[in-house]
Amino acid sequence: MSEILLETNGLTKQYGKHKAVDHVNMHIRKGAIYGFIGRNGAGKTTCLRMISGLAKPTKGQISLFGYEGKRLKEVRSRIGCLIEAPGLYGNMTAYENLMIKCKLFGITQKGYIENILETVGLGDVGKKKTKHFSLGMKQRLGIGLALVGEPDLLVLDEPINGLDPQGIAEVRDTISFLQEERNMTVLISSHILEELSKIATDYGIIHEGTLLQEMTREELFKRCSERIEITLDHPEAAVPVLDGLGFKDYQVMDRSHIHVFERLNDSDVLNSALVKAGIPVRGIGVTSEELEDYFLNLTGGAAHA
Ligand code: ATP
């Protein structure tokens, strides 16, 4: 298991009677791109704001680079964040916007700004006023601003939201580059699982303030891949039958489902063996799921517009 860089324990934020974030236990591995997925209003921004130190938790702990409690502020400068729209000065160039932030950080190194512009794919437009930028360029400059000071953890709140397909691809490429070439850990939120599925190595799914699941990319793809799905009342009773038939690649998903990821043509054999063992099967069949459907089913039906 790789080193955990960020962990939350019972993280909660309450506004009046409403719990925007409710006992979230999140685990982010060093070097991961952690896709934080939830519908609008699920609590993503609130969580990211608490992690970045922009909002105070009502309850719970955050542990960052092994620091927690009062000592957290010693390491908050190692986080770079882009939460909500980047605050850009429209009448200034991309270069000048970055220069202001560098001054605040006391960075005067030659070539520093050019390097960041290059990293976020804005090397050619550094002298252009940002009011003439596309939304995608603005987001990438926002990421560039978050990179000032070389953070170890980058926190990006819906950086892909509202971008056209090219803009999405460019932001994705920038994030992958930062993780692969700069060893940065990235926490990125989105309300569309599919959009992050090309880059995220780990996932956390939040719904109505609660973190429903955390899983690796491999687990996610496995959960959505082609499989025999068995619906029954006591899955644990079926385990010896599966073992007896030589099945190895299967998983008890919950209290009424088993997924079998091998020998997809053997569902008949499996069904009769279960019935013979006195285990009533309510349904059996080969199925797969689109990523987005998986997310929507998990969070209760079709998406709202
Ligand atoms: P979106 O993508 O729409 O921003 P989100 O998942 O980021 O959604 P949050 O912005 O974290 O969700 O909001 C979670 C819940 O908390 C919502 O019901 C929201 O109305 C509420 N909320 C957020 N900030 C405040 C606040 N300052 N005061 C009161 N309620 C708030």
Side-chain angles (χ1 to χ4, degrees):
M1 173 89 182
S2 3
E3 186 186 334
I4 298 291
L5 183 133
L6 169 69
E7 188 172 354
T8 70
N9 188 0
L11 192 64
T12 301
K13 181 75 183 179
Q14 192 155 347
Y15 293 111
K17 284 196 175 134
H18 176 64
K19 280 188 181 152
V21 173
D22 193 0
H23 287 89
V24 164
N25 299 331
M26 194 185 230
H27 306 83
I28 303 186
R29 296 181 300 135
K30 188 166 189 262
I33 297 181
Y34 187 100
F36 192 34
I37 319 288
R39 298 177 177 213
N40 291 333
K44 304 180 296 294
T45 306
T46 308
C47 244
L48 300 187
R49 285 172 59 82
M50 288 191 280
I51 287 167
S52 309
L54 302 170
K56 201 166 175 274
T58 310
K59 254 201 275 181
Q61 290 87 39
I62 298 169
S63 161
L64 190 60
F65 310 108
Y67 289 66
E68 49 190 48
K70 290 211 169 80
R71 296 203 64 197
L72 256 184
K73 57 176 182 290
E74 294 174 35
V75 283
R76 278 259 162 69
S77 61
R78 288 168 66 188
I79 304 182
C81 60
L82 172 59
I83 294 184
E84 285 140 13
L88 302 177
Y89 298 101
N91 268 326
M92 292 188 185
T93 65
Y95 187 96
E96 289 163 343
N97 270 279
L98 280 163
M99 198 167 67
I100 293 176
K101 180 115 189 235
C102 283
K103 275 196 178 146
L104 280 173
F105 275 66
I107 297 167
T108 51
Q109 215 173 305
K110 211 166 169 271
Y112 192 88
I113 296 174
E114 286 84 350
N115 191 7
I116 288 184
L117 285 168
E118 211 53 60
T119 302
V120 296
L122 295 174
D124 296 337
V125 288
K127 295 199 173 77
K128 195 169 170 168
K129 285 191 178 167
T130 61
K131 66 181 172 193
H132 302 304
F133 273 19
S134 68
L135 192 58
M137 289 157 80
K138 284 182 183 161
Q139 288 296 54
R140 278 184 286 140
L141 181 54
I143 296 175
L145 286 163
L147 291 177
V148 172
E150 279 121 279
D152 295 307
L153 171 67
L154 197 57
V155 176
L156 307 173
D157 189 22
E158 301 248 12
I160 280 170
N161 205 4
L163 301 187
D164 59 18
Q166 186 179 341
I168 293 175
E170 286 168 358
V171 169
R172 270 203 298 244
D173 288 350
T174 303
I175 293 164
S176 292
F177 173 82
L178 290 168
Q179 182 225 19
E180 284 162 20
E181 306 292 323
R182 302 281 169 91
N183 293 325
M184 226 169 253
T185 306
V186 185
L187 165 56
I188 174 173
S189 74
S190 175
H191 59 284
I192 303 171
L193 173 60
E194 187 78 45
E195 277 182 350
L196 295 188
S197 63
K198 287 199 176 76
I199 53 168
T201 57
D202 297 85
Y203 296 85
I205 296 184
I206 186 168
H207 184 56
E208 294 177 350
T210 305
L211 192 66
L212 297 181
Q213 283 186 350
E214 279 191 312
M215 66 204 130
T216 63
R217 179 192 180 82
E218 290 70 31
E219 282 165 342
L220 172 68
F221 281 95
K222 187 156 190 184
R223 281 176 200 198
C224 296
S225 66
E226 239 190 329
R227 71 222 171 203
I228 302 172
E229 190 169 303
I230 316 168
T231 311
L232 67 184
D233 288 331
H234 300 289
E236 63 288 353
V239 167
V241 178
L242 282 156
D243 291 345
L245 290 171
F247 284 98
K248 290 191 175 62
D249 193 8
Y250 66 87
Q251 216 171 334
V252 177
M253 304 306 292
D254 51 35
R255 282 193 211 154
S256 53
H257 292 98
I258 298 179
H259 291 175
V260 182
F261 301 100
E262 60 180 336
R263 294 162 51 190
L264 300 182
N265 293 325
D266 281 356
S267 55
D268 289 351
V269 180
L270 196 50
N271 192 20
S272 34
L274 288 168
V275 173
K276 212 164 150 197
I279 300 165
V281 174
R282 286 201 273 126
I284 186 163
V286 175
T287 170
S288 67
E289 232 169 345
E290 296 290 331
L291 284 184
E292 211 51 35
D293 289 339
Y294 175 77
F295 167 55
L296 293 176
N297 285 336
L298 203 63
T299 56
H304 304 297

